Amino acid sequence: PNLDFTLSYLSFQAHLQSASLDQAFIAVEKILQNPIAPLKSCTRVLLEYFHAAPGPQRKAIELFASKIGDPSADDVEVLHSIDSVLEGIIETAKHEILDDTTEAILLLISEEQVKTRLLASQGTESRAHILIFNHASAMFRAKCFHLACKLYQCSEDFLDANGSGSNAPRVQLLRLQARCQVGSGLFEDALATIITVELLESPLSPSTLLIKFTILLCLDGKETELD
C-alpha cells in the first residue's frame, strides 16, 4: 500500500502538470481509496485537483466522504479536512460566479458522513456554516439569487445543533431566502417563506414586515425588486 500510494501520487502530479485531467482523476481515485493514505495528504491532493478542474466533481466528493467516514479517523483532523475542502471549492468561484461551485458545496454538505461529523461537533458555530453563509451572501450581492437561496437553505442544516432553542438564526435565514425568492421572481414562494417567519417571530420585526409588504406589492404587480 505504501508503494501504491507513492506511485499514485507521482502519477497524479505528472498528469496534473500535463493537464491530463482524466488521468489525474484516476490517480486521485487510487489515492483516496488507499487505506493507508493519510487524510491530510488526500485533502491536499483533492484541493489541487479541484483547482485544476473546478466543477461539481461528484465522484471526487463521494470518495472524500467515504474517506472521512472511517470511524477510526481523528475528529479534529476530519473537521479540518472538511473545512479545507469546502474552502477549496469556494476558492474556485472567487473570480467567477459558477453554478457548479454551488452544486459542489451542496454535494459535499449533503453527504451523510460530512453532515454527521459537522453536526455532532460544532453546531451553529461551525466553520462550515460560516463559509457557506458568507458564500451565499456573496452570491446575493452578485444578484445570483437562485444560488444564494440554495446556500441559505443549506445553512439551516447547521442551526441549533447544540439545542439552544433560539429561533433567531433560522428567522434570519428564512428572511434572506424570502429576499432571494423575490429577486428570482418567485413571489408565491417568498410569501410562503415569510409566513413561516411570522410563525417563529414574536413580535414581528420591521424587517419581516417590510419584506412581506414588498412581496404583497410584487404579487399585485406594483413592485419588482426588494432593495
Side-chain angles (χ1 to χ4, degrees), residues 159-173:
L159 291 181
D160 205 25
N162 294 325
S164 68
S166 172
N167 284 326
R170 183 164 185 241
V171 164
Q172 179 195 23
L173 284 171

Side-chain angles (χ1 to χ4, degrees), residues 33-204:
Q33 290 177 334
N34 190 314
I36 68 155
L39 183 56
K40 187 175 182 179
S41 298
C42 291
T43 302
R44 185 169 60 247
V45 164
L46 202 56
L47 291 175
E48 288 185 63
Y49 179 71
F50 281 151
H51 181 72
Q57 304 299 352
R58 179 182 294 273
K59 182 61 176 176
I61 289 172
E62 289 174 353
L63 288 168
F64 174 72
S66 178
K67 186 71 176 178
I68 65 168
D70 183 348
S72 65
D74 179 75
D75 286 341
V76 174
E77 189 177 359
V78 165
L79 292 170
H80 179 71
S81 289
I82 292 172
D83 290 345
S84 295
V85 170
L86 187 56
E87 284 184 292
I89 292 171
I90 292 173
E91 181 71 20
T92 65
K94 179 169 285 188
H95 305 295
E96 188 175 359
I97 306 301
L98 297 172
D99 285 74
D100 284 351
T101 302
T102 298
E103 185 179 343
I105 291 170
L106 296 175
L107 280 172
L108 176 64
I109 300 302
S110 66
E111 286 289 340
E112 197 58 38
Q113 297 95 326
V114 174
K115 186 184 295 185
T116 299
R117 289 277 191 170
L118 290 171
L119 290 177
S121 61
Q122 299 182 56
T124 306
E125 299 303 319
S126 74
R127 173 74 174 148
H129 170 71
I130 295 169
L131 288 167
I132 293 169
F133 182 85
N134 288 346
H135 189 58
S137 299
M139 296 298 98
F140 184 88
R141 290 191 297 272
K143 297 187 181 297
C144 296
F145 298 116
H146 68 294
L147 299 181
C149 194
K150 288 180 181 180
L151 292 165
Y152 285 134
Q153 289 170 346
C154 181
S155 291
E156 284 193 71
D157 286 339
F158 297 94
L159 291 181
D160 205 25
N162 294 325
S164 68
S166 172
N167 284 326
R170 183 164 185 241
V171 164
Q172 179 195 23
L173 284 171
L174 286 169
R175 276 200 299 259
L176 289 166
Q177 287 173 47
R179 295 183 69 184
C180 291
Q181 288 161 339
V182 170
S184 298
L186 304 172
F187 306 130
E188 295 286 355
D189 291 346
L191 182 59
T193 300
I194 214 67
I195 288 173
T196 302
V197 171
E198 291 177 326
L199 296 174
L200 297 171
E201 190 178 46
S202 181
L204 296 180

Side-chain angles (χ1 to χ4, degrees), residues 171-172 175-176 178-179 194 197-198 201-215 226-227:
V171 164
Q172 179 195 23
R175 276 200 299 259
L176 289 166
R179 295 183 69 184
I194 214 67
V197 171
E198 291 177 326
E201 190 178 46
S202 181
L204 296 180
S205 68
S207 295
T208 298
L209 293 170
L210 176 60
I211 293 171
K212 185 174 183 180
F213 179 67
T214 305
I215 292 169
L226 182 61
D227 293 328

